[in-house]
């Protein structure tokens, strides 16, 4: 790294003691760059194995990387924590202005521990933390309004970043999310949906890869109505970008709704949409009306819930009601039916309020709900994390299971299905190796906190040049070795906290519903999982130069 | 010629102009930028571009007690840093708040209308152009 780069400054914040201090960690930033690489080290240092994720001492680590502020598309903040949702490693990436704001305030990482006795908010400026009282904001119906108030109180408009939780987070729903700049999220695992463009809805549905009605089908007859093209044509109101990003992938729909009680009186709501929430709160619930999907997305946003977990949980609950595993008595009188948005609007409210035992259980995720009520075969979660919207085939599903975050972004298995396995199947071990190679390379990108949208630009060659400009001189082999170290450090954390490759559950539904690539069974999946488990448990063998980074 | 904001409605808030303006001086980040992008009460409501409007009779220059702000041909001002004492009076005089502050140098940062940022704006928000008033039949 560059000599005396403020990147190596780690700000520790103890909310309980209202104390903060700085430490220089050139050892970490010099070796692991930043982002995920430094994040996993700081998490391992500060979160001993077995710690309760909701304990006050359990840290949240936020990191940026050396390319932030220097090169375009290095725009992410990486959050590392022990997830209250899966009870294991949580990693979430968010853009907006957070990364540049943290880097510009003279920091590379922030480690937050402790709890506030009073609801509070934290203002970080010039490398110092200020503790402010937010009692007045607690319980506010909309997390969006709360953001607006904080914005008015704080200086440096444009260079700051506001992160906040909504009511779901206050009530400790395990898949609450943290939003930054209103429209970017540390979703997932109780702290991202994003990436995946809404233009995928129709093509994936045509191929049978769009999970529909709790994956009873891979095709949605109303895919056109909720497609990215339809939203762009009829609702797109504005596009926004993260700092230093020319792509502007954040699509904001303007939803204009009349008030029922007065003529010529409308409210216009600005709602961000992309592929993941459209799948989870649209096709997965069988909702055909694009405006209804938008209003459900808005509700989930306002409550501060993760869209994917919410959709998958409600889809499971609907099917469980159809099958009589869950009754209206359990739901407090609420009838959930595919296609009917009213039930789902009430459902997300009930999850947030944790109104009875059923909703409290559902607020802990679909696996918890299936363990209590049955229906594990159609509880669509992998590694405790509700599934992303890709019913593409074995690579996609193995990708969710083998990825350190159980996310489709870990290794882009869904892309291997579509681009390679449609041409013919390959041995399970070879597929596992491919997924691991891709994930290993992605550790570099997420440690430089480069947006995965830019993975085609940041090839290993260009990455080495960008790193050289940031004061890191290393060879391609050294870079690959660092990537492997980071990858393994994540799994070391996971294994120490109880992750077990052999205990991964596979909901049977994925084998029943025709996907883009078919003809895979549980035995094939288990062979791939066993292979990955062996590889990660044994010391590093000779590294193949993984110059992938080309999966999308 | 001066830097004009063609259409702030097209702005995505990417701040690439701010990075460009800072890079123009050989720095990374946005610490030296003479152009700022601000949200109008949350990014969803839109963005405003704050940059010098190249006044033809600049109020900022008039209040400078050291004559450090020299009127620029085409409008706006050029700062003579050796004369500037960092008193900050010019900032108060600019009612569009287009004078920013260099905390390191303790001097104002004011756009020099070089047009470098406009080259990098991916969405056609900015352009270096003749004053519209000077262009006959200016299409508004
Ligand atoms: S800085 Fe402000 S007052 Fe001075 S010329 Fe520019 S717009 Fe006018
Ligand atoms: S015109 Fe030049 S000085 Fe003015 S904001 Fe753009 S880059 Fe900066
Ligand atoms: S570069 Fe263009 S789109 Fe981006 S913030 Fe500046 S004016 Fe807006």
């Amino acid at each position: 790294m560059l000599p005396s780069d403020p990147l190596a400054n780690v700000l520790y914040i103890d909310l309980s003691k209202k104390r903060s201090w700085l430490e220089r960690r050139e050892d970490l930033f010099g070796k692991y760059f930043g982002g995920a690489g430094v994040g996993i080290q700081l998490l391992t240092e500060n979160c001993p194995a077995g710690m309760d994720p909701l304990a006050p001492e359990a840290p949240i680590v936020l990191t940026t990387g050396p390319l932030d502020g220097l090169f375009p598309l290095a725009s992410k903040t990486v959050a590392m924590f022990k997830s209250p949702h899966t009870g294991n490693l949580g990693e979430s990436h968010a853009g907006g202005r957070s990364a540049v704001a943290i880097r510009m305030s003279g920091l590379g990482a922030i480690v937050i521990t402790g709890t506030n006795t009073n609801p509070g908010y934290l203002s970080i400026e010039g490398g110092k933390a200020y503790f402010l009282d937010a009692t007045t904001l607690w319980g506010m119906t909309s997390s969006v309004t709360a953001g607006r108030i904080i914005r008015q109180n704080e200086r440096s408009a444009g260079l700051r970043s506001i992160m906040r939780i909504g009511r779901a987070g206050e009530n400790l729903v395990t898949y609450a999310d943290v939003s930054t700049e209103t429209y970017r999220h540390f979703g997932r695992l109780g702290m991202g949906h994003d990436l995946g463009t809404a233009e995928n809805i129709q093509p994936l549905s045509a191929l049978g890869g769009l999970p529909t009605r709790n994956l009873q089908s891979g095709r949605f007859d109303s895919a056109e109505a909720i497609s990215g093209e339809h939203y762009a044509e009829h609702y797109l109101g504005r596009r926004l970008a993260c700092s230093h990003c020319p792509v502007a992938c954040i699509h904001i729909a303007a939803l204009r709704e009349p008030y029922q009680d007065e003529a010529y009186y409308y409210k216009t709501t600005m709602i961000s949409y992309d592929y993941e929430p459209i799948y989870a709160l649209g096709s997965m619930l069988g909702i055909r009306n694009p405006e209804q999907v938008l209003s459900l997305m808005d509700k989930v946003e306002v409550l501060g819930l993760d869209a994917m977990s919410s959709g998958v949980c409600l889809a499971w609950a609907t099917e469980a009601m159809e099958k009589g595993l869950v009754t209206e008595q359990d739901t407090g009188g609420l009838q959930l039916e595919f296609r009917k948005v009213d039930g789902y609007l009430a459902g997300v409210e009930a999850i947030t309020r944790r109104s009875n035992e059923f909703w409290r259980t559902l607020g802990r995720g679909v696996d918890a709900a299936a363990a209590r009520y049955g229906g594990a075969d159609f509880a669509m979660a992998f590694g405790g994390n509700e599934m992303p919207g890709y019913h593409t085939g074995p690579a996609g599903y193995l990708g969710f299971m083998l990825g350190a975050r159980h996310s489709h972004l870990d290794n882009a298995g869904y892309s291997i299905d579509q681009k390679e396995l449609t041409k013919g199947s390959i041995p399970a071990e070879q597929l596992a190796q491919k997924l691991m190679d891709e994930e290993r390379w992605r550790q570099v990108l997420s440690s430089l906190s480069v947006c995965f949208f830019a993975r085609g630009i940041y090839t290993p060659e260009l990455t080495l040049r960008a790193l050289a400009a940031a004061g890191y001189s290393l060879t391609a082999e050294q870079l690959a070795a660092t990537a492997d170290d980071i990858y393994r450090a994540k799994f070391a954390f996971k294994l120490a906290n109880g992750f077990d490759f052999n205990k991964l559950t596979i909901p049977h539904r994925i084998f029943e519903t025709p996907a883009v690539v078919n003809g895979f069974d549980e035995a094939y999946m288990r062979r791939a999982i066993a292979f990955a488990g062996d590889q990660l448990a044994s010391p590093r063998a000779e590294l193949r130069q993984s110059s992938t980074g080309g999966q999308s | 010629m001066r830097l004009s904001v063609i259409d702030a409605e097209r702005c995505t808030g990417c701040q690439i102009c701010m990075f460009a303006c800072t890079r123009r001086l050989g720095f990374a980040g946005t610490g030296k930028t003479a152009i700022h992008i601000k949200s109008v009460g949350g990014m969803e409501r839109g963005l405003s571009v704050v940059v010098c409007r190249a006044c033809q009779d600049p109020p900022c220059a008039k209040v400078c007690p050291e004559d450090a702000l020299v009127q620029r041909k085409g409008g706006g001002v050029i700062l003579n840093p050796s004369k500037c004492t960092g008193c900050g009076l010019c900032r108060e005089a600019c009612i569009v708040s287009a004078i920013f502050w260099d905390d390191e140098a303790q001097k104002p940062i004011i756009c020099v209308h070089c047009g470098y940022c406009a080259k990098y704006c991916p969405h056609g928000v900015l352009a270096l152009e003749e004053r519209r008033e000077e262009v006959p039949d200016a299409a508004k």
Side-chain angles (χ1 to χ4, degrees):
Chain A
M1 57 188 293
L2 297 168
S4 73
D5 189 330
L7 181 69
N9 292 337
V10 179
L11 179 67
Y12 288 84
I13 298 172
D14 181 338
L15 293 172
S16 308
K17 299 201 177 106
K18 302 223 183 321
R19 217 165 69 80
S20 73
W21 66 98
L22 274 181
E23 276 176 32
R24 284 287 294 169
R25 295 302 302 269
E26 283 169 20
D27 57 329
L28 295 185
F29 284 90
K31 178 144 199 256
Y32 302 108
F33 313 128
V38 169
I40 186 63
Q41 299 297 332
L42 286 171
L43 184 68
T44 306
E45 282 177 14
N46 292 284
C47 185
M51 185 181 263
D52 173 1
L54 290 173
E57 306 80 50
I60 294 175
V61 179
L62 301 173
T63 48
T64 67
L67 306 190
D68 270 320
L70 293 184
F71 292 103
L73 286 144
S75 50
K76 296 279 175 185
T77 302
V78 175
M80 286 273 184
F81 49 95
K82 186 159 178 185
S83 161
H85 191 52
T86 62
N88 211 312
L89 178 63
E91 174 184 342
S92 179
H93 301 187
R97 300 199 165 166
S98 56
V100 169
I102 291 172
R103 183 102 161 88
M104 299 287 184
S105 78
L107 299 172
I110 305 175
V111 180
I112 305 173
T113 54
T115 44
N116 258 334
T117 29
N118 291 326
Y121 77 96
L122 190 67
S123 171
I124 298 170
E125 216 185 301
K128 275 209 197 82
Y130 299 87
F131 300 88
L132 295 131
D133 195 327
T135 311
T136 327
L137 302 180
W138 212 244
M140 198 164 252
T141 16
S142 164
S143 71
V144 181
T145 318
R148 206 163 284 146
I149 292 166
I150 294 176
R151 197 175 299 131
Q152 281 159 4
N153 285 338
E154 293 290 312
R155 303 190 296 129
S156 13
L159 295 174
R160 67 187 166 199
S161 174
I162 298 173
M163 299 179 190
R164 58 185 182 272
I165 58 172
R167 273 165 60 206
E170 294 171 12
N171 293 346
L172 305 174
V173 174
T174 61
Y175 45 90
D177 77 351
V178 173
S179 68
T180 114
E181 276 68 76
T182 312
Y183 291 118
R184 292 282 83 181
H185 302 91
F186 291 109
R188 309 272 56 206
L189 306 162
M191 257 285 290
H193 72 251
D194 78 336
L195 244 143
T197 63
E199 278 69 39
N200 283 341
I201 293 276
Q202 266 181 295
L204 266 179
S205 175
L207 295 169
L210 177 68
T212 300
R213 292 183 301 277
N214 201 37
L215 198 61
Q216 293 176 7
S217 170
R219 293 184 170 133
F220 188 38
D221 56 8
S222 300
E224 200 279 318
I226 62 165
S227 66
E229 292 81 357
H230 187 91
Y231 279 112
E233 204 167 309
H234 300 278
Y235 301 97
L236 183 56
R238 194 175 287 287
R239 277 174 57 188
L240 295 173
C242 299
S243 287
H244 222 170
C245 169
V247 180
C249 73
I250 309 168
H251 289 64
I252 313 274
L255 179 64
R256 181 168 167 267
E257 295 166 298
Y259 280 96
Q260 297 307 326
D261 55 349
E262 196 175 338
Y264 301 111
Y265 213 68
Y266 292 89
K267 76 166 176 184
T268 302
T269 318
M270 306 298 277
I271 303 160
S272 89
Y273 67 88
D274 56 32
Y275 177 73
E276 299 295 355
I278 297 179
Y279 132 72
L281 302 171
S283 65
M284 196 63 169
L285 299 174
I287 301 178
R288 303 169 156 193
N289 176 322
E291 300 201 357
Q292 290 179 348
V293 176
L294 282 178
S295 50
L296 188 56
M297 281 195 256
D298 186 47
K299 182 91 181 172
V300 162
E301 164 83 37
V302 159
L303 294 171
L305 286 168
D306 178 70
M308 268 193 274
S309 292
S310 306
V312 171
C313 284
L314 288 170
W316 169 86
T318 310
E319 188 167 342
M321 286 193 95
E322 278 178 355
K323 296 202 155 64
L325 298 172
V326 170
T327 63
E328 278 191 44
Q329 226 169 350
D330 296 314
T331 63
L334 195 63
Q335 180 63 37
L336 299 172
E337 280 172 75
F338 289 121
R339 290 172 61 176
K340 300 208 171 148
V341 77
D342 289 345
Y344 296 127
L345 288 166
V348 287
E349 186 67 50
I351 290 171
T352 307
R353 271 192 282 115
R354 308 170 90 215
S355 49
N356 65 17
E357 198 207 334
F358 172 75
W359 294 107
R360 257 195 312 278
T361 310
L362 200 58
R364 290 177 26 232
V366 75
D367 279 349
R372 165 77 178 71
Y373 297 92
D377 277 350
F378 55 89
M380 303 314 300
F382 296 89
N385 202 14
E386 285 71 24
M387 76 176 280
Y390 299 92
H391 181 52
T392 52
Y397 286 114
L398 283 168
F400 306 158
M401 287 186 275
L402 300 179
R405 305 191 275 150
H406 307 293
S407 153
H408 65 298
L409 294 175
D410 284 331
N411 42 41
Y414 61 98
S415 164
I416 297 179
D417 278 327
Q418 292 174 79
K419 289 192 186 139
E420 299 180 39
L421 300 193
T422 42
K423 295 182 199 133
S425 67
I426 57 173
E429 294 74 15
Q430 197 183 331
L431 178 54
Q433 187 67 54
K434 261 183 191 297
L435 290 164
M436 292 169 71
D437 287 344
E438 179 67 22
E439 181 159 357
R440 190 179 292 114
W441 166 248
R442 289 187 178 213
Q443 303 314 311
V444 173
L445 298 181
S446 54
S447 298
L448 301 174
S449 71
V450 164
C451 176
F452 284 166
F453 257 142
R455 62 190 173 273
I457 305 169
Y458 283 91
T459 58
E461 296 70 41
L462 191 84
T463 302
L464 285 169
R465 283 173 59 201
L467 272 168
Y472 292 85
S473 62
L474 63 182
T475 63
E477 292 70 37
Q478 287 168 323
L479 186 61
T482 305
D484 192 56
D485 287 342
I486 298 168
Y487 186 36
R488 285 168 182 274
K490 286 189 190 174
F491 272 94
F493 183 95
K494 283 179 77 83
L495 293 165
N497 282 281
F499 177 78
D500 185 345
F501 284 100
N502 298 320
K503 291 207 179 114
L504 282 167
T505 54
I506 311 179
H508 206 67
R509 176 64 47 85
I510 66 167
F511 305 115
E512 295 161 354
T513 304
V516 179
V517 174
N518 293 301
F520 59 104
D521 57 13
E522 175 141 4
Y524 179 90
M525 306 293 273
R526 294 283 170 205
R527 278 203 304 282
I529 293 169
F531 177 83
D534 278 353
Q535 295 285 305
L536 282 161
S538 51
R540 173 155 81 224
E542 199 149 309
L543 272 178
R544 298 197 286 121
Q545 179 51 32
S546 53
S547 55
T548 40
Q551 304 295 348
S552 55
Chain B
M1 300 287 269
R2 65 156 182 169
L3 183 74
S4 294
V5 180
I6 306 290
D7 185 359
E9 286 297 319
R10 299 176 65 116
C11 176
T12 64
C14 68
Q15 302 182 322
I16 285 175
C17 50
M18 296 169 58
F19 285 94
C21 184
T22 305
R23 202 165 55 237
R24 163 186 73 103
L25 300 168
F27 295 95
T30 58
K32 306 271 182 199
T33 180
I35 181 168
H36 280 245
I37 304 298
K38 293 192 170 144
S39 78
V40 187
M43 288 175 78
E44 71 278 16
R45 307 234 160 149
L47 295 137
S48 69
V49 181
V50 187
V51 66
C52 170
R53 293 189 33 78
C55 304
Q56 296 211 288
D57 187 11
C60 55
K62 282 191 221 163
V63 301
C64 176
E66 312 293 336
D67 288 330
L69 294 174
V70 186
Q71 219 172 313
R72 175 185 166 276
K73 229 178 105 206
V77 292
I78 302 289
L79 174 76
N80 179 344
S82 60
K83 283 190 176 173
C84 173
T85 59
C87 72
L89 278 176
C90 54
R91 267 172 111 186
E92 320 270 313
C94 175
I95 60 165
V96 296
S97 305
I99 300 189
F100 305 99
W101 205 249
D102 184 335
D103 288 324
E104 272 169 13
Q106 282 300 320
K107 295 203 187 333
I109 304 177
I110 308 174
C111 169
V112 298
H113 299 274
C114 66
Y116 187 68
C117 55
K119 282 194 211 154
Y120 289 92
C121 171
H123 306 290
V125 176
L126 309 167
L128 196 65
E129 59 173 26
E130 292 297 335
R131 302 191 78 84
R132 302 221 178 164
E133 307 84 287
E134 291 161 4
V135 183
D137 300 318
K140 271 275 160 170

